[in-house]
Amino acid sequence: MTFTSIPTIDVTGLVTGDPVHRGAVIAELGRAAREIGFAQIVGHGIDPASFAAVQRAAERFFAQPDDVKMKVYIGNSTNHRGYVPAGEEVFAGATPDHKEAYDLSIDLPSDHPDYLAGNPLLGPNQWPELDDFAEPVSTYYDAVFSLGRLLLRAFAEALGEPADLFDKHVSTPPAQLRLIHYPHDPSAADRPGIGAHTDYEVFTLLRPTAPGLEVVNADGTWIDVPYADDAFVLNIGDLLEIWTNGEFTATSHRVRKVSHERYSFPLFFNVDYNTWVEPLPQFVTTGGPRYDGVRAGDHLFAQTAQSFTYLQRRLASGEITLPDNARPLYSLGREAQRSAPAV
């Protein structure tokens, strides 16, 4: 099915638990996940003051000199946390993205056993020495993550399953929040703000400060995601596509022609690192599963390692290796489905 616009879904009934409207919201979310892979959601209940605070924190962080930001360079970490300078991340077409970012995730203590064992995505955040930064960022993370839990249960019901189908897989997941800054760039028409890709996790909840996001439909046409104040952009990720054997699709998207300054705050909702994700039996037809199974954390790490230059250097030196069943970049999503069968 070819879509030409992105729906807006009011999830108030889901957030409040309203028995009259909750079922209708779940049906709308399921329809968007099946037919588009994207939606905008309003009525989400996230305090506007919390978003304003995290935006101020991001603006102050990115306004610092480069040498100060590089004190928390992501390449200094062993669990993928910290500052991402422009050109560090490379997506489709080997085009460096014109953006800078700060990456964080669930903030585990430095004596957590997974971190001590060398897990490449779990452990403490690498916080900058910047007043009034960690607290508003952490508060916002917790609020959006809680919204993600509600949506995960809604997706389970949209698939005709019990609401708690996935709950057991969400305890200490590598669910990343990115603070992204797209600087003013008059020449951006010739260079993408961020290259075309699918998201590697279960789904994404994004709050931008300006338009610029595009998604691709089944005909290969890029469709603008209209900017709406106080709305989250919700999109399906790789893991839900695998779990549902393609019934939910991770739709490729990109940021183009960012000629004005723009900030973006995606939270990539994920399940626990060691969760084994494979097509659920109820979605497998007589033709068999369309996807091989993956370990959730290994899939995220493999995709990340293939798109960050500091990790590519570690791969080249033999310091790290890709998981045995690592998928190549850009092998899931609507565009990949058109070009070749998933395996």
Side-chain angles (χ1 to χ4, degrees):
M1 182 175 295
T2 299
F3 62 89
T4 57
S5 62
I6 307 301
T8 297
I9 302 173
D10 187 339
V11 297
T12 301
L14 184 67
V15 172
T16 63
D18 180 353
V20 176
H21 298 106
R22 187 174 180 278
V25 174
I26 290 170
E28 286 188 76
L29 288 169
R31 186 161 50 251
R34 290 179 174 91
E35 298 177 3
I36 302 172
F38 264 81
Q40 290 200 100
I41 63 170
V42 296
H44 45 72
I46 302 296
D47 186 354
S50 180
F51 178 69
V54 78
Q55 182 177 342
R56 287 194 300 271
E59 290 171 350
R60 290 171 52 241
F61 174 77
F62 291 121
Q64 298 179 113
D66 288 346
D67 61 337
V68 175
K69 290 180 286 190
M70 287 297 287
K71 290 180 180 179
V72 290
Y73 172 51
I74 198 165
N76 297 338
S77 75
T78 60
N79 60 324
H80 198 64
R81 312 289 174 90
Y83 175 61
V84 181
E88 177 70 37
E89 189 176 13
V90 179
F91 279 111
T95 303
D97 286 334
H98 187 62
K99 71 175 191 305
E100 57 181 342
Y102 173 82
D103 292 357
L104 66 139
S105 190
I106 183 170
D107 198 13
L108 300 177
S110 58
D111 62 353
H112 192 278
D114 284 329
Y115 180 65
L116 294 177
N119 187 290
L121 296 174
L122 294 174
N125 288 324
Q126 187 180 193
W127 293 109
E129 294 182 1
L130 185 63
D131 292 339
D132 197 29
F133 182 84
E135 190 278 329
V137 172
S138 297
T139 298
Y140 181 76
Y141 180 97
D142 291 343
V144 182
F145 187 82
S146 294
L147 175 62
R149 283 185 178 273
L150 280 178
L151 290 166
L152 184 66
R153 292 173 67 86
F155 281 133
E157 291 188 75
L159 291 166
E161 298 297 321
D164 63 357
L165 176 67
F166 302 113
D167 285 1
K168 63 184 178 182
H169 301 304
V170 184
S171 57
T172 54
Q176 183 186 71
L177 173 66
R178 305 198 80 186
L179 317 183
I180 307 176
H181 176 220
Y182 300 92
H184 171 72
D185 180 14
S187 65
D190 298 321
R191 186 181 186 188
I194 186 170
H197 64 288
T198 60
D199 291 340
Y200 316 136
E201 297 85 352
V202 179
F203 57 81
T204 301
L205 284 163
L206 165 70
R207 279 289 297 273
T209 62
L213 183 64
E214 297 178 333
V215 302
V216 69
N217 68 15
D219 291 336
T221 302
W222 288 94
I223 306 298
D224 286 329
V225 178
Y227 172 72
D229 188 38
D230 198 36
F232 276 92
V233 179
L234 168 66
N235 65 275
I236 301 302
D238 290 349
L239 297 185
L240 263 184
E241 179 174 320
I242 294 172
W243 248 328
T244 64
N245 204 36
E247 181 164 342
F248 287 2
T249 300
T251 302
S252 301
H253 50 283
R254 66 187 183 187
V255 175
R256 294 285 292 177
K257 301 179 181 179
V258 184
S259 59
H260 48 277
E261 190 170 40
R262 179 179 185 267
Y263 293 87
S264 180
F265 303 89
L267 185 137
F268 302 98
F269 193 90
N270 210 356
V271 289
D272 293 337
Y273 191 100
N274 288 317
T275 301
W276 184 253
V277 178
E278 63 183 355
L280 294 166
Q282 55 269 45
F283 301 111
V284 178
T285 64
T286 55
R290 301 182 63 247
Y291 304 87
D292 289 337
V294 295
R295 182 168 285 104
D298 283 352
H299 177 66
L300 174 56
F301 176 67
Q303 301 300 293
T304 302
Q306 293 175 82
S307 57
F308 276 77
T309 58
Y310 87 93
L311 289 171
Q312 291 169 3
R313 290 193 294 269
R314 292 180 186 178
L315 285 170
S317 69
E319 182 180 349
I320 61 173
T321 58
L322 292 178
D324 291 339
N325 64 340
R327 300 183 69 104
L329 281 175
Y330 216 42
S331 61
L332 289 165
R334 195 173 300 275
E335 288 193 310
Q337 286 188 6
R338 285 202 319 271
S339 59
V343 295

